[in-house]
Amino acid sequence: MMPSRLLSVGPRMVLGGVGRWTRVRLWPTPPRLLSASCADCAKHQEPPRKKLLSEKKLKRHFVDHRRVLVRGGRGGDGVSCFHSEPRKEFGGPDGGDGGNGGHVVLRADQQVKSLSSVLSRYQGSHGEAGGRKNCSGRSGALLYIRVPVGTLVKEGREVVADLWCPGKEYIAALGGAGGKGNRFFLANDNRAPVTCTPGQPGQERVLFLELKTVAHAGMVGFPNAGKSSLLRAISNARPAVASYPFTTLKPHVGIVHCEDHQQIAVADIPGIIRGAHQNRGLGSTFLRHIERCRFLLFVVDLSEPEPWTQVEDLKSELEKYEAGLSERPHVVVANKIDLPQARAALPQLRARLGQSVVALSATTRENLEELLLRLQELHGQHVAPELRW
Ligand SMILES: Nc1nc2c(ncn2[C@@H]2O[C@H](COP(=O)(O)OP(=O)(O)OP(=O)(O)O)[C@@H](O)[C@H]2O)c(=O)[nH]1
Ligand SMILES: [Mg+2]
């Protein structure tokens, strides 16, 4: 029987004869690909294409809240030393001060779309210690954390900053002050101080970052109502569209360009269902992304039976999420008017909700102009007056 020790030998070594090891191939080596070594062929190879991320993968990259520990850099220590030069007695104290520690700063950046790139802890850079000849240490550089526009910064339950516009900054943690060198303690009654102070530690804070999408209008609707199709039809955004519920798993913002050069940002958020406040479907946490919207678009699937119940359910879910949210200025958009059963249900919907319902089709683009006019109107009433200030 083969001793167990021999079994541990690599796969290419087998026992060939009595007391003799022979090297044999157990499997043929795959032929070398010519293109891998031939520079000429490699030149004609297509560059690797950027893979499009599926909506599911995008969701994995989308993070809208984060707990982060921030610590400012420590200040550099002050130094105690005396001037030394040949033939010069009692040169005096010349220990320099330490540099200040660097602050940690949060900065709203338009290129950043979610909080996924934010780490759980940040340490600011430390200041350098002072030197001889009254040299001060170098201060620590600022450490910037890039966050998406619309990030709320909370400490405990208190909101400490709202980074609502691009470039807005907030000092999350102050760097510690640098220590003093012994030169600082020179006084008339003490010509040779030896005292120096160490640098101060930086500020340490635990902050909660919460992303609330910034858009003028927010679209809410049941899954499959056609919100994403509508956003694609009126803006340059390209959210995924499919015939199954919960296709959209993260908010998308599209910009609608109006004729008078106005730009209206419209947010499409994942579908809401009855009982979302009890965590049914995707829950109602995504509603935080419409909290900042000045007006809402209730998108209704008109081809479903009793479409008006969708508006009632949506309003009740909004109200359960935040009191008064359903009272925001809004338009009811009845989608899928191209389908015969939808067209038949329209008079009944209008009878229940009033004539202000905008009936359209995101697929055939029928009556999109009316929606654009209403958007402009609402923008003029609720957003433009604030911009004038
Ligand atoms: N006939 C017709 N079908 C539409 C229309 N708008 C959307 N659809 C279809 O409805 C289905 C759902 O559309 P989506 O835009 O993904 O719906 P959604 O509201 O974004 O759905 P979720 O992301 O799951 O919340 C797709 O199969 C669309 O092709 C329309 O105006 N007419
Ligand atoms: Mg969608």
Side-chain angles (χ1 to χ4, degrees):
M1 214 175 74
M2 194 186 289
S4 61
R5 198 159 52 86
L6 295 181
L7 290 173
S8 64
V9 180
R12 285 182 179 199
M13 306 287 275
V14 291
L15 199 57
V18 183
R20 196 162 60 89
W21 290 98
T22 319
R23 214 182 163 95
V24 290
R25 282 187 199 286
L26 283 186
W27 53 77
T29 346
R32 250 173 119 185
L33 289 176
L34 277 177
S35 59
S37 57
C38 168
D40 220 28
C41 302
K43 227 182 347 185
H44 299 297
Q45 275 181 0
E46 265 191 36
R49 271 203 212 132
K50 203 174 162 194
K51 232 174 150 185
L52 281 177
L53 285 176
S54 68
E55 188 80 22
K56 215 169 184 176
K57 282 188 182 156
L58 271 175
K59 161 78 165 85
R60 232 179 279 155
H61 294 285
F62 184 77
V63 178
D64 57 4
H65 54 276
R66 202 52 135 193
R67 177 188 180 276
V68 56
L69 172 80
V70 281
R71 205 180 285 141
R74 191 186 173 82
D77 295 339
V79 171
S80 176
C81 56
F82 290 87
H83 186 76
S84 138
E85 209 178 304
R87 292 186 296 284
K88 192 168 179 185
E89 237 183 319
F90 309 120
D94 74 345
D97 299 339
N100 295 326
H103 305 323
V104 180
V105 183
L106 292 166
R107 183 186 200 147
D109 189 328
Q110 233 166 358
Q111 303 298 318
V112 182
K113 297 294 176 208
S114 93
L115 293 169
S116 59
S117 57
V118 175
L119 306 177
S120 57
R121 59 178 62 207
Y122 285 90
Q123 168 68 63
S125 44
H126 302 306
E128 282 179 10
R132 304 185 72 90
K133 299 181 183 171
N134 292 319
C135 287
S136 297
R138 187 196 295 257
S139 291
L142 295 180
L143 173 64
Y144 284 102
I145 307 173
R146 297 191 313 144
V147 293
V149 176
T151 301
L152 271 189
V153 187
K154 289 185 180 174
E155 193 168 20
R157 284 175 176 270
E158 192 195 347
V159 177
V160 290
D162 182 359
L163 306 177
W164 61 276
C165 72
K168 203 165 165 62
E169 291 180 3
Y170 173 68
I171 299 181
L174 290 165
K180 298 294 181 196
N182 63 341
R183 167 84 190 181
F184 179 82
F185 297 97
L186 181 66
N188 285 341
D189 56 346
N190 185 4
R191 304 304 299 165
V194 287
T195 316
C196 61
T197 56
Q200 298 295 309
Q203 195 182 14
E204 186 176 312
R205 292 168 85 186
V206 176
L207 299 174
F208 296 90
L209 307 182
E210 202 176 295
L211 174 59
K212 288 187 181 179
T213 305
V214 180
H216 301 125
M219 271 201 262
V220 269
F222 274 38
N224 262 348
K227 302 177 291 298
S228 305
S229 310
L230 192 55
L231 190 68
R232 287 174 79 106
I234 60 175
S235 78
N236 51 357
R238 288 288 168 265
V241 168
S243 57
Y244 54 83
F246 304 116
T247 310
T248 304
L249 296 170
K250 70 169 200 112
H252 291 262
V253 178
I255 305 292
V256 181
H257 296 270
C258 302
E259 274 176 5
D260 53 357
H261 304 291
Q262 289 272 28
Q263 294 190 348
I264 305 175
V266 181
D268 164 26
I269 65 157
I272 304 289
I273 56 170
R274 194 177 301 136
H277 67 283
Q278 292 163 333
N279 220 16
R280 284 192 62 208
L282 294 179
S284 58
T285 52
F286 278 109
L287 286 178
R288 83 159 65 113
H289 294 283
I290 55 153
E291 268 179 51
R292 289 170 188 254
C293 296
R294 302 301 160 83
F295 48 95
L296 305 175
L297 305 179
F298 290 121
V299 184
V300 174
D301 183 348
L302 202 51
S303 65
E304 289 287 315
E306 302 191 346
W308 50 89
T309 54
Q310 293 176 38
V311 180
E312 287 159 16
D313 289 341
L314 287 172
K315 281 190 174 175
S316 118
E317 289 302 326
L318 292 194
E319 208 53 37
K320 278 171 190 146
Y321 177 76
E322 189 189 303
L325 194 55
S326 66
E327 302 299 317
R328 289 256 168 105
H330 60 263
V331 185
V332 176
V333 180
N335 190 26
K336 309 196 183 180
I337 192 77
D338 56 301
L339 300 174
Q341 71 270 31
R343 206 172 278 275
L346 183 60
Q348 224 178 340
L349 181 75
R350 285 206 160 128
R352 290 191 179 246
L353 301 178
Q355 289 301 311
S356 60
V357 174
V358 179
L360 51 76
S361 166
T363 308
T364 61
R365 305 179 69 88
E366 186 184 335
N367 208 21
L368 277 186
E369 299 75 24
E370 190 183 341
L371 176 65
L372 294 178
L373 283 175
R374 295 296 289 276
L375 279 177
Q376 260 177 291
E377 211 175 277
L378 284 164
H379 185 271
Q381 283 168 6
H382 303 284
V383 184
E386 289 171 28
L387 294 179
R388 268 180 228 129
W389 291 104

